[in-house]
């Protein structure tokens, strides 16, 4: 059968109805493309980079009350119910394999250096946490140790892998410096001044000690906004700080008591809290890692941990919830759009075929077989579906690109540099185009079968009277 | 007399009745009451009868459009009812031509496209399509010329044609694929005298000379003897048709072996003669036919002489 000829005349004839079909295809395919591209893009460009890449069976626990997280320098606010005694309770939970505290520094600390990288000497307050060498030993680069201050008096330091990425994506371009490789970073030395702060003037009598620090590895366990040193070292330093401070405070108080007796009682009262915290002989904890015996127990154990009154690091969970909510909402939306599209397509074809019922009867009376007529209808649908699908995908890509441009133009500079928020994966585009094509073609099959069910003579006689 | 070999189509005790619409008793009204009929190659046959006698019904049954009847309709010995739906479709596409009483043109197509439809529907091996298209265009011109529409633009929409022109487009469409039997339901029903005369001469010409082209511009000349070269061409044309070697079932064409070539007395002569069956009221048309049969009360009677005059006076 000279199919193309017939197809062309029929397409031309029914273009109005077919336009409705192709609109429905365009709408559903572009929605599919936009939602899919946005979903995949937000996941791969925003969510995934934010999620810590920690083993599934390692949970991170946070102190209850801390809301500004590890940025808080006021270590007295840390703790929030999480201390070494609390960790014992965690260890006792069924399914818990090991618990590693994240020890916080109870004293200010300043880092000095950076000539090698940034080209000038800078100094900045740093926040240090202490982690067990057992937990992070896989993150320590070959040839280095992460145990305690080494023989030459150097402190091993781990840096968050994410921090390097942040530096490379935001800081480096901003200050016009090349990106850093992890190799370049390992072995880098700088000076740590314990007890000193750039932001806060030292109190009289605060002790000050200088150490050389050396980066020995990149870690996902390491704290994101500071440095991570061996737990052993940090606990010792905390003790040193507390003891020296206690001594200094007492001496200072004696001096003050001698000169300003009148104010003594007030001063004592105002400082009452800190000594008490130190007297506990506990280190402030900024959290803990809990390793679970088996991945299968993660849900169970984390529930138990929450029941025991601890707070899980909810970032992954919240992101997970956000992603799920996003998925559900866009899924529903997609469902509605696709449902409407399929209904529209089917309805358009039913109308179209009812209008052409008589024509099909003529074609069949002239010798078209049932399958010829069906093939004609499905081919029309396929042509329209393909055009609509390609148009819809093009529209979707345009919308996605526009959306991304708008997003980057409108949004303030984020702490995390986003590489992309939409994804134009070929798989998605092929899938969306395929969907549109199939929806239209398959949408025509049933109407086409119904249209060829009648005997042509019955149709023709009905019309001619 | 024609030999039995010439029988293209044969009706054996064909019966058809409809539920009587006027009474709710469920009684059936017999339209065709056991009809026996043979259609020979080259015949021009008229079915006459009052309106509502069942002429259209009979044509539908004969052409395989209607298979709801008792009895047999055989095309070259093969029962049409026993064929599959697709085989019958192919039959209508290749062996039969049908001019409907109300034309049944596709309104959204042009004149040429309407005429080309049977050609478009032909299942063909992928030949060089350029040549096929050229041949097709020529063929459409030929048949349009033949039915007296040489002056009508092939690319005109059929919507703009007059009733008589539409009738002749339907006729062109019915003969474009060189059918072996042409059925025409009241082909002169709504036509003026001149056009009727033209249509009648086309039908007569068709059965005499087959559906191959007449000389360009000499349509309706009624001549039976063109030059031999032309007839030889026609003979070749026939081989490409439904009855040709590549026909329906490989070695067995739609009409069976040699069905069409039975009367090939002189080689290359009249080899594609077409049988024409018309349902008509028109005495002018009936008079040109070599057989006139009156359908009345479900029976079919051959009429001639005075009986014919009476029949046509109805
Ligand atoms: N499908 C049908 N159902 C019921 N009655 C029908 C049907 N087709 C035709 N008829 C009846 O059969 C009779 C013959 O119709 P038809 O063959 O069209 O007659 P003619 O062509 O001779 O005028 C009419 O009375 C018509 O009403
Ligand atoms: Mg009739």
């Amino acid at each position: 059968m000279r199919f193309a000829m017939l197809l062309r005349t029929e397409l031309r004839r029914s273009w109005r109805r077919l336009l409705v079909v192709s609109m429905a295809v365009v709408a559903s395919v572009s929605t599919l493309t936009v939602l899919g591209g946005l979903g995949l893009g937000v996941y791969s460009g925003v969510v995934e980079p934010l999620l810590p890449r920690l083993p599934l069976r390692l949970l991170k626990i946070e102190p209850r009350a801390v809301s500004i997280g590890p940025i808080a320098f006021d270590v007295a606010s840390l703790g929030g119910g999480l201390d070494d005694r609390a960790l014992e309770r965690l260890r006792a939970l069924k399914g818990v394999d090991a618990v590693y505290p994240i020890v916080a520094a109870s004293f200010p600390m300043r880092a000095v250096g950076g000539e090698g990288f940034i080209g000038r000497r800078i100094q900045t307050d740093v926040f240090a946490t202490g982690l067990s060498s057992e937990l992070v030993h896989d993150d320590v680069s070959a040839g280095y140790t992460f145990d305690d201050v080494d023989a030459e008096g150097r402190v091993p330091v781990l840096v968050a892998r994410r921090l390097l990425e942040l530096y490379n994506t935001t800081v480096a371009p901003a200050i016009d410096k090349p990106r850093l490789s992890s190799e370049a970073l390992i072995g880098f030395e700088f000076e740590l001044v314990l007890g000193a702060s750039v932001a806060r003037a030292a109190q009289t009598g605060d002790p000050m000690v200088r150490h050389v620090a050396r980066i020995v590895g990149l870690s996902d366990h390491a704290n994101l906004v500071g440095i991570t040193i061996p737990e052993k070292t940090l606990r010792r330093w905390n003790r040193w700080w507390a003891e020296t401070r206690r001594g200094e405070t007492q001496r200072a108080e004696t001096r003050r008591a001698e000169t300003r007796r009148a104010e003594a009682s007030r001063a004592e009262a105002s400082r009452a809290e800190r000594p008490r915290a130190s007297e506990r002989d506990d280190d402030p904890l900024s959290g803990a890692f809990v390793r679970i015996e088996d991945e299968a127990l993660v849900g169970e154990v984390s529930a138990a941990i929450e029941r025991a009154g601890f707070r899980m690091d909810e970032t992954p969970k919240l992101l997970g919830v956000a992603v799920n909510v996003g998925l559900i909402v866009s899924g529903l939306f997609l469902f509605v759009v696709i449902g409407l599209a399929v209904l529209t397509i089917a309805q358009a074809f039913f109308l179209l075929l009812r209008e052409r019922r008589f024509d099909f009867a003529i074609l069949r009376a002239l010798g078209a077989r049932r399958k010829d007529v069906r093939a004609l209808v499905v081919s029309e649908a396929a042509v329209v579906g393909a055009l609509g699908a390609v148009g819809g995908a093009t529209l979707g890509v345009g919308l996605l690109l526009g959306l991304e441009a708008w997003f980057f133009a409108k949004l303030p500079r984020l702490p995390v540099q986003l590489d992309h928020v939409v994804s134009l994966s070929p798989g998605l585009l092929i899938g969306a185009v395929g969907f549109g094509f199939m929806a239209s073609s398959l949408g025509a099959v049933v109407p086409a079968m119904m249209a060829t069910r009648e005997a042509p003579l019955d149709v023709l006689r009905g019309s001619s009277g | 007399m024609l030999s039995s070999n010439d029988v293209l189509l044969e009706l054996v005790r064909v019966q058809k009745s409809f539920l009587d619409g006027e009474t709710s008793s469920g009684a059936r009204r017999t339209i065709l009451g056991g009809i026996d009929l043979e259609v020979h190659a080259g015949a021009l046959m008229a079915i006459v009868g009052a309106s509502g006698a069942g002429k259209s019904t009979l044509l539908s049954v004969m052409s395989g459009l209607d298979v709801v009847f008792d009895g047999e309709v055989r095309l070259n010995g093969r029962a049409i009812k026993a064929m599959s739906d697709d085989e019958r479709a192919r039959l209508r596409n290749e062996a039969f031509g049908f001019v409907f009483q109300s034309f049944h043109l596709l309104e959204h197509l042009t004149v040429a496209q309407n005429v080309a439809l049977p050609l478009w529907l032909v299942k063909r091996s992928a030949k060089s399509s350029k040549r096929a298209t050229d041949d097709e265009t020529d063929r459409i011109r030929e048949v349009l010329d033949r039915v007296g529409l040489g002056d009508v633009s092939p690319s005109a929409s059929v919507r703009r044609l007059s009733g008589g022109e539409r009738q002749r487009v339907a006729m062109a469409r019915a003969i474009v694929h060189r059918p072996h039997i042409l059925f025409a339901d009241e082909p002169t029903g709504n036509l003026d005298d001149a056009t009727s005369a033209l249509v009648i001469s086309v039908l007569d010409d068709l059965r005499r000379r087959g559906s191959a082209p007449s000389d360009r511009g000499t349509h309706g000349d009624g001549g039976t003897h063109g030059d031999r070269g032309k007839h030889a061409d026609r003979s070749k044309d026939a081989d490409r048709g439904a009855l040709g070697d590549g026909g329906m079932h490989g070695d067995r064409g739609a009409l069976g072996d040699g069905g069409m070539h039975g009367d090939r007395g002189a080689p290359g002569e009249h080899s594609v003669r077409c049988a024409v069956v018309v349902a008509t009221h028109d005495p002018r048309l009936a008079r040109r036919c070599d057989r006139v049969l009156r359908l009345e009360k479900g029976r079919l009677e051959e009429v001639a002489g005075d009986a014919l005059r009476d029949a046509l006076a109805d």
Side-chain angles (χ1 to χ4, degrees):
Chain A
M1 141 141 121
R2 214 80 47 77
F3 204 75
M5 305 282 234
L6 198 53
L7 186 58
R8 220 176 49 201
T9 60
E10 295 306 293
L11 282 173
R12 192 172 304 147
R13 179 217 171 150
S14 309
W15 69 271
R16 260 175 243 270
R17 291 257 181 246
L18 294 173
L19 194 65
V20 173
V21 171
S22 71
M23 287 317 219
V25 174
V26 165
S28 55
V29 170
S30 58
T31 309
L32 195 63
T33 310
V34 167
L35 289 183
L38 205 55
L40 289 177
V42 166
Y43 192 79
S44 68
V46 182
V47 175
E48 225 171 37
L50 287 180
L51 284 174
R53 281 169 286 190
L54 290 175
L56 199 59
R57 62 194 193 101
L58 199 64
L59 301 178
K60 196 175 174 195
I61 299 197
E62 288 184 331
R64 279 199 162 274
V66 181
S67 54
I68 42 172
I71 296 163
F73 272 87
D74 191 358
V75 288
S77 72
L78 291 174
L82 200 64
D83 54 25
D84 286 314
R85 273 183 299 276
L87 295 193
E88 286 310 315
R89 283 195 288 135
L90 279 175
R91 281 194 185 94
L93 288 175
K94 198 165 153 286
V96 170
D97 182 34
V99 175
Y100 300 102
I102 303 169
V103 178
S106 58
F107 53 91
M109 199 183 301
R110 194 168 64 194
V112 186
E115 299 93 326
F117 288 122
I118 302 162
R120 67 195 142 97
R121 190 175 170 82
I122 53 161
Q123 46 180 334
T124 173
D125 283 341
V126 292
F127 173 73
T129 51
L131 279 185
S132 153
S133 49
E134 187 189 320
L135 177 69
V136 296
H137 73 266
D138 284 346
D139 301 332
V140 179
S141 295
Y144 295 92
T145 55
F146 185 78
D147 190 32
D148 201 346
V149 177
D150 67 10
E152 284 114 80
R154 286 176 303 204
V155 193
V157 165
L158 289 175
V159 175
R161 197 184 306 280
R162 190 71 67 224
L163 193 61
L164 175 63
E165 285 164 13
L166 283 179
Y167 171 82
N168 278 337
T169 51
T170 43
V171 182
I175 61 174
D176 210 18
K177 293 287 166 192
R179 294 176 165 226
L180 290 182
S181 66
S182 54
E183 290 78 37
L185 205 58
I186 305 298
F188 172 71
E189 291 183 0
F190 56 96
E191 196 183 32
L192 266 186
V193 187
L194 314 186
S197 166
V198 178
R200 230 167 28 169
Q203 287 178 342
T204 345
D206 277 356
M208 223 161 72
V209 170
R210 290 173 189 277
H211 271 284
V212 173
R214 185 167 66 165
I215 297 177
V216 299
L218 296 172
S219 171
D220 284 318
H221 304 88
N223 95 61
L224 182 61
V225 285
I227 57 173
T228 297
I229 64 175
E231 178 188 354
K232 203 190 285 181
T233 313
L234 190 55
R235 281 187 188 272
R236 194 171 61 240
W237 286 355
N238 277 347
R239 238 176 2 252
W240 157 80
W241 170 260
E243 278 162 12
T244 330
R245 269 295 285 276
R246 202 150 50 217
E248 287 296 324
T249 311
Q250 278 162 2
R251 253 174 279 146
E253 266 170 26
T254 319
R255 278 198 300 274
R256 281 194 204 107
E258 283 164 3
T259 54
R260 293 197 268 175
R261 245 170 248 279
E263 295 172 25
S265 60
R266 237 193 307 157
E268 214 161 3
S270 71
R271 281 192 293 266
E273 284 164 40
R274 187 163 304 198
R276 204 175 297 144
S278 312
E279 274 155 20
R280 226 166 40 199
D281 212 39
D282 263 348
D283 292 288
L285 300 185
S286 71
F289 285 105
V290 176
R291 196 165 64 210
I292 295 165
E293 282 166 8
D294 195 305
E295 276 182 15
L297 294 172
V298 168
E300 204 177 303
V301 175
S302 44
I305 290 172
E306 287 187 331
R307 271 199 308 279
F310 297 102
R311 205 177 74 134
M312 313 281 295
D313 174 10
E314 298 204 313
T315 322
K317 198 164 126 191
L318 286 178
L319 284 172
V321 168
V323 169
N324 282 338
V325 167
L327 281 179
I328 291 168
V329 169
S330 44
L332 278 175
F333 189 60
L334 203 58
F335 187 77
V336 168
V337 169
I338 286 175
L340 283 177
V342 167
L343 281 180
T344 310
I345 290 168
Q347 195 212 18
F349 274 112
F350 273 110
L351 290 175
L352 183 63
L353 299 191
R354 206 174 57 194
E355 284 167 2
R356 288 163 58 187
R357 193 170 151 251
F358 189 62
D359 292 3
F360 291 150
I362 294 175
L363 286 178
R364 289 187 57 206
L366 294 179
R369 295 165 304 173
R370 277 197 168 86
K371 54 186 158 200
D372 294 332
V373 174
R374 282 201 294 264
L376 181 67
V377 172
V378 174
S379 302
E380 286 173 33
V383 168
V384 168
L387 290 178
V390 170
T394 310
L395 177 65
V397 168
L399 286 174
L400 280 176
L401 293 178
L403 210 62
E404 190 168 60
W406 175 85
F407 182 85
F408 282 128
K410 283 282 175 205
L411 255 80
R413 246 188 134 65
L414 298 167
V416 180
Q417 177 74 36
L418 297 179
D419 177 52
H420 63 277
V421 291
V422 307
S423 157
L424 299 175
S425 92
L428 173 75
L429 294 181
I430 292 168
V433 168
F435 164 79
F437 180 72
M438 292 310 284
S440 176
S441 310
L442 293 181
V445 169
V446 172
M449 298 200 5
M450 291 179 73
T452 52
R453 225 174 30 187
E454 299 168 292
L457 189 63
D458 293 339
V459 180
L460 295 180
R461 189 191 289 117
S463 77
S464 60
Chain B
M1 215 42 233
L2 291 154
S3 73
S4 64
N5 258 7
D6 295 309
V7 176
L8 284 178
L9 194 70
E10 185 184 16
L11 280 70
V12 183
R13 282 193 300 284
V14 168
Q15 273 188 299
K16 185 167 174 76
S17 58
F18 292 114
L19 269 178
D20 201 332
E22 272 129 61
T23 63
S24 52
S25 59
R28 299 188 76 87
R29 198 153 60 90
T30 299
I31 303 296
L32 307 177
I35 286 176
D36 293 301
L37 181 66
E38 287 182 350
V39 180
H40 298 268
L44 177 51
M45 176 189 287
I47 314 282
V48 297
S51 176
K55 303 183 293 297
S56 297
T57 305
L58 181 58
L59 288 194
S60 297
V61 165
M62 291 171 84
S63 61
L65 260 179
D66 189 349
V67 285
V68 187
F69 59 85
D70 293 325
E72 282 295 358
V73 175
R74 294 200 197 102
L75 182 68
N76 233 61
R78 245 190 117 207
I80 285 182
K81 268 205 291 193
M83 293 179 184
S84 74
D85 212 55
D86 285 358
E87 283 175 306
R88 274 194 299 274
R90 181 132 195 199
L91 212 60
R92 289 198 295 273
N93 184 213
E94 296 183 354
F96 294 156
F98 206 112
V99 183
F100 295 95
Q101 195 167 353
S102 37
F103 320 146
H104 294 334
L105 301 180
L106 288 182
E107 299 296 322
H108 59 288
L109 299 187
T110 65
V111 170
Q113 286 169 338
N114 263 286
V115 175
L117 268 179
L119 304 178
W120 288 356
L121 294 171
V122 172
K123 199 102 204 158
R124 285 195 196 176
S125 55
K127 276 188 188 170
S128 82
S129 58
K130 171 81 176 78
R131 241 199 87 188
T133 312
D134 289 348
D135 287 355
E136 192 176 290
T137 312
D138 289 347
R139 176 67 185 157
I140 289 164
R141 270 248 157 257
E142 280 164 20
V143 291
L144 284 175
D145 274 352
R146 194 153 175 192
V147 298
L149 290 179
D151 299 336
V152 171
S153 163
S155 57
S157 165
V158 293
R159 279 198 200 95
R160 267 176 289 175
L161 300 185
S162 72
E165 286 167 330
R166 296 164 71 87
Q167 213 286 337
R168 284 177 287 156
V169 171
M171 179 102 85
R173 186 180 67 183
I175 63 175
V176 69
H177 55 297
R178 302 184 172 90
H180 304 294
I181 307 182
L182 175 72
F183 300 95
D185 199 350
E186 318 234 3
T188 57
N190 313 305
L191 302 184
D192 58 58
D193 289 355
T195 319
S196 292
L198 175 64
V199 166
I200 290 166
S201 72
V202 170
L203 292 173
D204 190 42
D205 182 43
L206 204 59
R207 63 83 180 248
R208 285 171 193 279
R209 312 196 313 131
S211 41
S214 62
D215 293 322
R216 283 256 181 141
T218 56
H219 48 259
D221 61 1
T224 37
H225 303 289
D227 67 275
R228 275 183 177 268
K230 269 238 154 6
H231 287 293
D233 279 351
R234 252 167 262 148
S235 173
K236 262 193 276 162
D237 284 345
D239 288 342
R240 284 199 258 121
L243 307 177
D245 6 85
M248 180 121 81
H249 305 288
D251 58 344
R252 195 165 166 210
L255 299 180
D257 294 320
M260 246 342 270
H261 309 289
D263 68 334
R264 224 188 229 180
E269 191 123 333
H270 302 173
S271 56
V272 243
R273 282 195 314 175
C274 179
V276 178
V277 181
V278 295
T280 186
H281 287 300
D282 189 342
R284 289 165 302 183
L285 175 53
R287 254 178 236 116
R288 288 285 280 274
C289 295
D290 30 50
R291 281 179 86 193
V292 178
L293 300 134
R294 180 167 57 195
L295 184 60
E296 198 176 19
K297 297 197 176 82
R299 313 223 66 84
L300 203 55
E301 280 169 31
E302 193 118 23
V303 285
D306 288 348
L308 175 57
R309 210 170 39 242
D310 293 347
L312 295 176
D314 284 348

